[in-house]
Amino acid sequence: MNEAKSKVLVIVEGKKTEPKLMKKLFSIYGIDKKHNIVSYNTKIYALYNQMFRDNPEENDILQVLKEHENDLEMKELLNERYSDIILIFDLEPQDPEFSEEKILEMMEFFVESSDMGKLYINYPMVESFYHMKSIPDPEYNSYIVTMDELKAGTYKSRVNRENRNRNYTKFAIDKMECNKVILQNVDKAWIISEDYHMNLDMDLYLPDPVKILNRQLLKIKTEDVVSVLCTCVFYIADYNPKFLLD
């Protein structure tokens, strides 16, 4: 990303947790003035129905959002010009509309932030950012969530119990702690993707998001579980990997 010229629209799923987390990260890394956050306020499968019913190549994500936005302030944000668009959504495999084909189609379509937009999927949801008992958490790589937990709606309460201090406002309070949380998620993503882990001294490489998604879909199919993983924080590495190497 061309940091000097960037003006980024961030489309998030929810109204509270995602905006709060991303505002916090943008502020900690000093890039908050370059980002506008718009809540889509519904699940990724609703976006699929609006964007992919016909030929997605002929649809524009901003136009789709404007057609369904009633808030005048949000409409004004959508009318501005942006160098990049990122989308942050949850996998939510317990959703009645969950479909491997739909989520893969979206992941393979939204691959470039400066063109159609880039999609970041959290597993199973954005609360995965806070699912650490310490920073770093030596057990984090083993954390999974079962489909039974997701269907029962108990995952968020589990994260509250297993969060350091049991208080999100006291979790990852500065750049050093955020770096540790992000890098631990990067390491876990490489393990999940079962790909060759590249982490060079002068740069930071991220695993292929489609490979991560495919491995997660296989775990759901064969084991009825999802590996806990927060990938919306990978945007910080995409924006400027040097942020994480200080």
Side-chain angles (χ1 to χ4, degrees), residues 158-200:
R158 176 185 163 195
V159 175
N160 284 328
R161 290 194 308 274
E162 298 181 353
N163 166 255
R164 187 186 72 168
N165 300 327
R166 297 186 181 183
N167 186 338
Y168 289 1
T169 64
K170 296 180 181 177
F171 184 83
I173 57 174
D174 56 27
K175 185 178 178 182
M176 184 179 69
E177 288 195 340
C178 283
N179 281 358
K180 290 179 180 177
V181 173
I182 294 171
L183 291 172
Q184 189 154 21
N185 275 285
V186 171
D187 285 342
K188 186 170 182 178
W190 279 111
I191 293 170
I192 292 170
S193 70
E194 299 184 353
D195 210 348
Y196 177 70
H197 187 164
M198 292 186 290
N199 191 356
L200 307 180

Side-chain angles (χ1 to χ4, degrees), residues 77-116:
L77 290 179
L78 294 170
N79 280 327
E80 294 185 20
R81 295 176 65 87
Y82 294 97
S83 61
D84 299 82
I85 299 173
I86 67 169
L87 303 93
I88 295 173
F89 284 85
D90 297 337
L91 179 64
E92 304 216 46
Q94 79 283 6
D95 189 279
E97 292 194 70
F98 167 73
S99 155
E100 290 188 10
E101 291 75 18
K102 289 178 182 178
I103 202 75
L104 273 169
E105 185 178 356
M106 297 182 83
M107 184 62 90
E108 290 170 348
F109 179 79
F110 290 115
V111 295
E112 177 52 58
S113 65
S114 61
D115 190 359
M116 71 294 289

